[in-house]
Amino acid sequence: MTVIPLNESKDPQAKAALARLEQLKSQLNLSPSPMSRQAPTDMAAERAAAEFDIEALATFWAGGPKRYALVKKAYDFIKQDPELVVQSPRNYLELTRDEMREFTMGQIFRVVQVMMESEDKELAYEIGIATNVYSESFSMRFFVHDSLFRNVVNMLGNKEQQDRYNDDISNFRIFGCFAMTELGHSSALRDIETTATYDIATDEFIIDSPTVTSTKWWIGMAGQTATHTVVIAQTMIDGKKVGLNWFVVQLRSKYTGELEPGVQIGDIGHKVGHEGVDNGWIQFRQKRIPRHDMLAKWVSLDRQGQFTPAPNPAVMYATLIPERLSLVTVTTQMISQALTIATRYGVVRRQGSKNQQIMDYQSHYVKLVPAIAFMYMVKSTSDVLYKQFDVLTDGGKMDPVVYLNHMGDMHAMSACLKGLAGWYATDILEVCRRSCGGHAYSAYNGIGHIIGDWGVMTTGGGDNVVLLQQTARFLLYRLEQKLEFDEYPDLLFKSSTLYIKHAKSYLENKAWPTNDAADCLKDFALIQEALNTILVKRLYSIQQALKNGSTPNDMLLESVRVAELHCAAFIFSACAEKYGQPIGSEGVDASVLPILKKLTALWGIHTLHTYSDQGFKEGYFNPEQINSIEKVYLDVCKSLRNQVIGLTDGFGFPDFVLKAPIAKYDGDIYQTYLETLLTAPRSTGVPPYHAKYIKPLTERENPKAKQ
């Protein structure tokens, strides 16, 4: 079994369940077949085919030797803890909504307990991360409090407010949520309807939901858990709107869980995924809060009602940047699990006229290999972006000038990375589902559960179309500043828009200087030159179309596509800088540098192949070059076919985290899969509704039957 084996389970019912399983197995023919015997042999051969040290790659993925050791210890810890990992015969993938809600809150309670009591704080932290990876519901529910709520307080609150709330946040004396989206409004924050009206007589704000569409909606942790929230609201002072501001509002008693006066909350109900997360709706009915709970790092309001606005209204949206970066981190957690499942199944399943492994079919590996490469590329790029974001926040000091000068770049890149990663990851999940045939339709093989949990990522944190449109708008602004005024800002990090600094020379490029795309594998500069040239030319074409009468909506799809390309190009640039040199950057073991360089090359060729239409539109690519790109793309995918198990092993997921019998590490999937089903409740025997619905029909005699 890939869940906790019954003979290792801490569940009190495990012993009886094991006896029942053995009794059922004794009645079945479990004789090995040629296919079931071959599967472990195939898996072992695939693992041995790795051209790199798998352990070294897993160490790299984890973040270095020290963290790799901690990660393994953390997985060992949670596997043995029934409050963190569901123990057999129960199966995580069978939990009802109510069971999932309670179990997820139990996980939070236990992780907090470990964090508070453990002397090894680094291990305690990794135990939380391991639980994150095991349970996406835990990940989301914990994240809402520990990241979203905390980030708003620290990025938008002044020092007094940070001091007042941070210790309670860190020690979970309060639980916070993030009340931004409304029933009628999501990404369009300017249309938010919730109001915060200053009452100068009592020195209070009155938070109110004036319409049905102003109801705060999809608010994670609000349904059952949160004691507090941060609320974004239209602010009214002396009868005038002064813009959007954030407020801390208590929702429930810390002691009874009962709602505070002026607050109405309900549960969103059954969802497609994240059943362990208590998403809720909130209405405020003239809820009064003290003036000092308006978050005031960037704004101020004195007792006399004198209001000083933020230096730029955009700072009020800045908390969405780390949210989007974190969603990209979730991409590597979730999608890499699905890829591991699909890849392991693909190398042990044999089918066809030659009884070949299904992974050997071009239709299989050409879809999965670039997706695996994308995991390594996007993880490396998100590390770069987190370092850039540190420039903005400066450990919480957040110098206003530095912050505002760099925020546009960070917003544009985090927005398009979230957009591209979200859409491509959705495609990857469908590839994984199809790659496993009918077995992916079984909930017990995990992919369906991942797909359900993943769905929110394409709209949570902003709709991808809107985000990519915003990135395109920023790129067009940068291009205009350069071409018309010869201006480009001096920044403290390497911007994703750096190529625009050389826009004039890129516009002069007539055609790609090679007809053999294989040259790119020896010289990454050919890829970078092509991507930068195509980007500048496409942006210029969109700019000219807008000047000549096209509306932004007329150019929406073109803009979205160029923003995707901008993101894909930055991913390539960041990874080429890390892995494209003879000696890799710091922290990259020499034994894994060659495979990381191959993956970078594949991502570059994948990007040229995927967006070759953009180069063709500008006359930069001709048909011969596009055909050459496709040929090289297919060849590189084929050359990496035998590395798929080593690459997915590098993600480091234990079997109990994957939860999928068809992805068993040793390849012995068939009996494991059957035993998983035999352990499920009511998997055999007469159904409880037989007497009510089946027997009355089947017990009738056929009047036409011969006596």
Side-chain angles (χ1 to χ4, degrees):
M1 296 177 67
T2 51
V3 294
I4 307 299
L6 284 166
N7 60 359
E8 299 176 18
S9 173
K10 306 298 182 184
D11 192 288
Q13 303 300 318
K15 186 175 181 180
L18 181 59
R20 178 177 179 274
L21 175 62
E22 293 301 325
Q23 191 269 335
L24 287 171
K25 286 166 61 178
S26 70
Q27 302 173 39
L28 301 174
N29 184 352
L30 299 178
S31 301
S33 66
M35 179 177 283
S36 68
R37 283 193 296 266
Q38 182 65 35
T41 302
D42 285 339
M43 184 67 80
E46 292 283 337
R47 206 160 266 127
E51 298 172 351
F52 51 89
D53 184 329
I54 296 174
E55 189 86 355
L57 187 64
T59 301
F60 164 78
W61 177 269
K66 181 180 179 181
R67 183 156 187 266
Y68 182 52
L70 284 170
V71 167
K72 290 198 291 185
K73 282 185 180 179
Y75 279 137
D76 287 343
F77 182 95
I78 70 169
K79 181 180 178 181
Q80 304 300 322
D81 193 315
E83 291 183 277
L84 296 177
V85 169
V86 173
Q87 305 285 307
S88 299
R90 298 174 73 211
N91 190 314
Y92 180 86
L93 298 172
E94 289 180 328
L95 298 184
T96 65
R97 186 180 78 184
D98 288 344
E99 288 172 335
M100 185 71 88
R101 290 282 181 85
E102 182 174 352
F103 181 73
T104 304
M105 192 61 227
Q107 288 177 309
I108 293 172
F109 177 84
R110 178 63 176 136
V111 165
V112 172
Q113 191 178 50
V114 170
M115 291 168 62
M116 297 295 109
E117 296 176 359
S118 176
E119 294 182 3
D120 189 339
K121 298 303 180 186
E122 289 183 327
L123 178 59
Y125 174 80
E126 290 301 335
I127 287 169
I129 298 298
T131 310
N132 252 0
V133 177
Y134 172 77
S135 167
E136 178 54 28
S137 279
F138 168 86
S139 175
M140 183 67 75
R141 201 163 170 177
F142 196 89
F143 165 79
V144 167
H145 166 81
D146 197 51
S147 292
L148 285 183
F149 181 72
R150 183 198 297 274
N151 282 344
V152 173
V153 170
N154 286 316
M155 294 179 70
L156 302 180
N158 59 30
K159 186 176 186 307
E160 183 277 326
Q161 291 166 328
Q162 292 174 22
D163 291 344
R164 178 151 42 99
Y165 285 110
N166 269 333
D167 193 62
D168 283 347
I169 294 171
S170 296
N171 289 283
F172 297 85
R173 298 187 196 98
I174 62 175
F175 281 101
C177 63
F178 181 79
M180 183 180 76
T181 53
E182 297 180 353
L183 178 57
H185 312 282
S186 181
S187 300
L189 295 185
R190 67 175 64 89
D191 297 324
I192 289 288
E193 294 181 69
T194 301
T195 58
T197 304
Y198 181 56
D199 183 349
I200 195 169
T202 61
D203 197 24
E204 294 174 314
F205 276 99
I206 303 169
I207 312 296
D208 194 55
S209 304
T211 67
V212 62
T213 49
S214 70
T215 305
K216 293 295 183 182
W217 204 259
W218 285 120
I219 312 304
M221 291 272 276
Q224 299 174 340
T225 312
T227 60
H228 291 69
T229 190
V230 284
V231 180
I232 189 170
Q234 300 283 359
T235 310
M236 305 289 294
I237 298 174
D238 195 24
K240 299 176 183 176
K241 280 188 178 182
V242 297
L244 293 169
N245 286 282
W246 288 87
F247 303 83
V248 179
V249 181
Q250 185 164 354
L251 300 176
R252 291 180 173 89
S253 165
K254 292 172 53 178
Y255 308 102
T256 67
E258 295 293 334
L259 295 176
E260 289 285 299
V263 177
Q264 295 294 323
I265 293 178
D267 198 284
I268 289 292
H270 190 64
K271 306 186 295 290
V272 172
H274 285 105
E275 286 287 53
V277 182
D278 54 325
N279 294 89
W281 56 263
I282 308 171
Q283 278 205 354
F284 300 103
R285 308 303 297 137
Q286 301 287 306
K287 170 64 177 173
R288 288 181 172 270
I289 64 170
R291 172 171 54 91
H292 63 67
D293 274 335
M294 179 179 74
L295 294 175
K297 177 187 285 289
W298 303 99
V299 302
S300 64
L301 176 67
D302 64 23
R303 181 66 182 85
Q304 289 71 43
Q306 295 298 313
F307 178 72
T308 303
N312 186 323
V315 299
M316 292 304 169
Y317 315 145
T319 58
L320 296 175
I321 294 174
E323 180 187 6
R324 288 162 189 158
L325 293 178
S326 69
L327 290 176
V328 175
T329 301
V330 171
T331 301
T332 58
Q333 286 184 183
M334 297 177 69
I335 308 306
S336 53
Q337 290 187 51
L339 282 165
T340 303
I341 296 167
T343 299
R344 288 184 179 175
Y345 180 72
V347 302
V348 300
R349 181 70 166 190
R350 287 178 172 269
Q351 201 160 318
S353 59
K354 298 179 181 179
N355 195 36
Q356 61 262 53
Q357 294 162 282
I358 61 174
M359 185 62 76
D360 288 339
Y361 289 101
Q362 187 185 61
S363 56
H364 224 76
Y365 67 76
V366 169
K367 295 292 186 180
L368 289 171
V369 170
I372 294 168
F374 181 62
M375 294 296 99
Y376 285 93
M377 299 297 98
V378 79
K379 183 177 176 66
S380 298
T381 306
S382 63
D383 290 346
V384 171
L385 291 176
Y386 273 117
K387 290 177 182 176
Q388 292 186 357
F389 188 63
D390 287 343
V391 172
L392 272 74
T393 55
D394 191 22
K397 297 175 185 176
M398 295 173 66
D399 177 271
V401 175
V402 172
Y403 189 83
L404 292 171
N405 284 348
H406 293 74
M407 191 179 71
D409 276 82
M410 279 306 306
H411 169 72
M413 193 56 224
S414 67
C416 69
L417 183 60
K418 191 263 177 185
L420 176 70
W423 278 343
Y424 186 33
T426 300
D427 293 342
I428 291 170
L429 285 177
E430 179 61 14
V431 166
C432 290
R433 187 190 68 78
R434 293 181 186 179
S435 297
C436 296
H439 291 319
Y441 194 65
S442 169
Y444 295 105
N445 284 318
I447 288 178
H449 185 83
I450 295 172
I451 289 172
D453 279 351
W454 172 255
V456 69
M457 304 302 174
T458 59
T459 48
D463 179 86
N464 288 350
V465 170
V466 175
L467 295 180
L468 289 161
Q469 186 182 23
Q470 290 173 358
T471 296
R473 191 179 301 129
F474 181 77
L475 298 176
L476 290 168
Y477 166 75
R478 275 275 191 265
L479 184 66
E480 181 182 43
Q481 293 297 105
K482 181 61 187 177
L483 294 182
E484 296 191 14
F485 306 105
D486 198 26
E487 292 181 359
Y488 188 86
D490 291 324
L491 301 174
L492 298 177
F493 55 62
K494 185 178 178 181
S495 170
S496 64
T497 67
L498 188 61
Y499 62 89
I500 292 178
K501 191 173 183 178
H502 310 287
K504 292 178 182 178
S505 63
Y506 285 127
L507 285 173
E508 292 173 359
N509 289 344
K510 301 301 181 185
W512 200 31
T514 181
N515 286 324
D516 185 357
D519 293 341
C520 296
L521 305 180
K522 296 171 282 188
D523 185 3
F524 283 180
L526 282 170
I527 299 176
Q528 196 69 67
E529 179 84 359
L531 295 176
N532 292 348
T533 299
I534 294 166
L535 277 166
V536 170
K537 286 178 175 289
R538 290 303 298 135
L539 286 166
Y540 183 73
S541 293
I542 293 170
Q543 185 185 75
Q544 294 307 301
L546 292 170
K547 285 183 177 180
N548 291 326
S550 294
T551 67
N553 192 46
D554 292 333
M555 304 306 295
L556 177 57
L557 294 179
E558 298 275 16
S559 298
V560 164
R561 190 125 172 93
V562 81
E564 286 182 34
L565 176 56
H566 169 80
C567 179
F570 181 71
I571 291 172
F572 173 76
S573 175
C575 294
E577 188 171 317
K578 281 187 176 185
Y579 314 128
Q581 307 304 321
I583 299 176
S585 58
E586 185 179 352
V588 181
D589 188 280
S591 66
V592 299
L593 181 59
I595 190 64
L596 292 170
K597 186 173 182 178
K598 284 185 180 180
L599 295 176
T600 303
L602 175 57
W603 178 252
I605 296 293
H606 171 85
T607 302
L608 291 179
H609 179 255
T610 303
Y611 298 95
S612 59
D613 63 310
Q614 300 294 291
F616 185 75
K617 281 184 177 183
E618 297 297 333
Y620 186 70
F621 284 157
N622 61 43
E624 180 184 352
Q625 290 170 323
I626 292 174
N627 286 334
S628 178
I629 289 169
E630 182 174 55
K631 181 181 184 303
V632 171
Y633 179 57
L634 296 176
D635 288 345
V636 175
C637 288
K638 187 175 183 179
S639 74
L640 287 164
R641 149 65 189 94
N642 290 328
Q643 307 308 305
V644 292
I645 289 300
L647 288 169
T648 49
D649 278 0
F651 300 146
F653 298 121
D655 282 353
F656 79 89
V657 169
L658 295 174
K659 312 175 187 70
I662 62 169
K664 196 162 182 275
Y665 179 83
D666 64 6
D668 187 12
I669 70 170
Y670 293 104
Q671 184 164 327
T672 302
Y673 190 5
L674 180 57
E675 288 183 9
T676 299
L677 302 185
L678 292 174
T679 309
R682 293 188 296 276
S683 61
T684 61
V686 179
Y689 53 82
H690 180 275
K692 186 174 182 180
Y693 295 121
I694 300 176
K695 181 182 177 183
L697 298 175
T698 59
E699 70 180 352
R700 295 172 299 159
E701 296 295 332
N702 184 347
K704 297 181 181 179
K706 294 181 180 179
Q707 298 300 320

